[in-house]
Amino acid sequence: MGKVILEVKDGIGYLTINRPDKLNALNNEVLSELNTIIDDINKNSEIRVVIVTGSGEKAFVAGADIAFMKDLTPKEAVDFARLGQEIFFKMEQSEKPFIACVNGYALGGGFELALACDFIYATENAKLGFPETGLAIIPGFGGTQNLSRLVGKNIAKELIFTAKMITASEAKELRIVSQVFKTKDEMIKFAEDVAKQIMKNGPIAVGLAKRAIADGFDLTKEDGLKYEASLFGVAFSTNDAKEGLTAFLEKRKPEYKNS
Ligand code: CAA
């Protein structure tokens, strides 16, 4: 069994980090498998939405692998960080939505994996945080950048400087997590319902909207608006937009063909 598993069913890609004996910690092997699987997901037109989770009940991902990192040289550490960042950035740039289902610990690189997804659900027992400064290192897979963009610099600094873990409900209060569930099964079922709702919509439009939000976020307001207008134009070049607008006027359900 691989360290990262991808199953596809009814348009949903179920991506599971599968190294439960080490709480799904990310070493080079896991990252390399994840890299290949993200490429496969991007190429696979059957997959419309991806649900990301960790194997077992205890952890989503408890971080980058500390045993693996212990003897890295500074150069190797940079390469390891860049590899993780590139993979997570590829998820952010993907036209498919990624939903993180955080079951248990999402720490360090695991929290960063969740932050690379488009939104995060969590179980009541989830614990999220950046323990890195406690290990005398810093987050390296995008955490300083993504958390500060999500919750603002002050909260990001507080969480990263203290290295404290927060509960799922605290994470919801900070708007890191959108919904909290009693059990993993309940969470996955809810994520599947959300995925089905997304899949009713124009697939190219969902991808363009993701791009407009992700890439537009760091632009000035003026450039962001120009970018949005240009992607609005791209949507009008698709057959699906013609179908969606016509179906509304003809009072029928649209049939999208992803073209
Ligand atoms: N790296 C390597 N191994 C890990 C790991 C990690 N991040 N997290 C857990 N494990 C391993 C443990 O070493 C243990 O292995 P053995 O059974 O072989 O000893 C196994 O997983 C089970 O873990 P514990 O026995 O520690 O379980 P616990 O219930 O007592 O504690 C925990 C759970 C609080 C999550 C604890 O495991 C922990 O603190 N883990 C480390 C969390 C961490 O610091 N993550 C950040 C890493 S740095 C990073 O991610 C950098 C970056 O941004 C790129």
Side-chain angles (χ1 to χ4, degrees):
M1 188 71 90
K3 296 278 183 277
V4 183
I5 302 168
L6 177 68
E7 289 161 297
V8 185
K9 196 169 162 244
D10 300 330
I12 303 177
Y14 296 84
L15 191 164
T16 307
I17 308 295
N18 181 41
R19 203 187 166 210
D21 56 323
K22 297 288 177 190
L23 304 189
N24 303 319
L26 306 170
N27 57 14
N28 248 345
E29 189 189 353
V30 181
L31 285 183
S32 144
E33 283 188 33
L34 181 61
N35 200 9
T36 307
I37 283 184
I38 300 296
D39 288 339
D40 293 344
I41 289 171
N42 283 337
K43 281 187 239 143
N44 187 338
S45 58
E46 257 181 65
I47 301 176
R48 298 274 310 277
V49 178
V50 183
I51 294 179
V52 182
T53 194
S55 196
E57 297 291 329
K58 197 168 164 184
F60 175 71
V61 169
D65 189 314
I66 296 170
F68 171 79
M69 287 188 298
K70 187 182 151 288
D71 294 321
L72 292 182
T73 64
K75 160 86 175 65
E76 287 165 343
V78 172
D79 291 345
F80 185 53
R82 291 302 286 166
L83 176 64
Q85 289 173 358
E86 275 162 30
I87 299 166
F88 292 179
F89 193 58
K90 218 189 289 184
M91 292 166 61
E92 293 175 46
Q93 292 286 303
S94 167
E95 290 178 355
K96 301 167 199 270
F98 283 73
I99 305 174
C101 282
V102 171
N103 51 304
Y105 293 107
L107 302 174
F111 193 4
E112 289 165 316
L113 174 64
L115 290 169
C117 294
D118 295 290
F119 36 90
I120 307 176
Y121 299 139
T123 50
E124 271 177 7
N125 71 334
K127 291 266 171 60
L128 302 95
F130 282 117
E132 281 88 340
T133 57
L135 301 165
I137 59 171
I138 68 167
F141 294 165
T144 60
Q145 304 306 302
N146 279 342
L147 187 64
S148 53
R149 280 167 173 74
L150 184 62
V151 296
K153 288 183 192 170
N154 290 14
I155 301 283
K157 286 175 186 168
E158 193 186 338
L159 290 181
I160 292 170
F161 296 175
T162 59
K164 73 175 179 190
M165 290 187 212
I166 56 172
T167 62
S169 67
E170 286 167 332
K172 183 163 185 267
E173 259 174 52
L174 293 172
R175 300 186 180 197
I176 295 169
V177 159
S178 332
Q179 297 267 8
V180 181
F181 301 88
K182 278 206 176 327
T183 64
K184 185 175 177 183
D185 285 353
E186 219 181 283
M187 171 171 67
I188 300 290
K189 169 83 184 59
F190 186 87
E192 287 171 341
D193 288 346
V194 170
K196 283 179 197 151
Q197 211 171 323
I198 294 171
M199 288 191 280
K200 285 186 194 150
N201 302 327
I204 299 173
V206 170
L208 291 173
K210 173 166 168 172
R211 179 144 293 184
I213 296 167
D215 296 348
F217 200 81
D218 293 321
L219 300 178
T220 61
K221 178 77 179 280
E222 200 180 0
D223 287 344
L225 289 173
K226 279 188 204 150
Y227 187 56
E228 182 188 78
S230 74
L231 294 182
F232 189 72
V234 174
F236 276 76
S237 71
T238 65
N239 294 320
D240 284 347
K242 284 187 190 63
E243 167 64 7
L245 299 167
T246 307
F248 175 82
L249 295 172
E250 292 177 354
K251 301 188 187 307
R252 61 173 175 81
K253 277 201 175 145
E255 277 180 41
Y256 295 127
K257 300 210 159 60
N258 202 0
S259 68

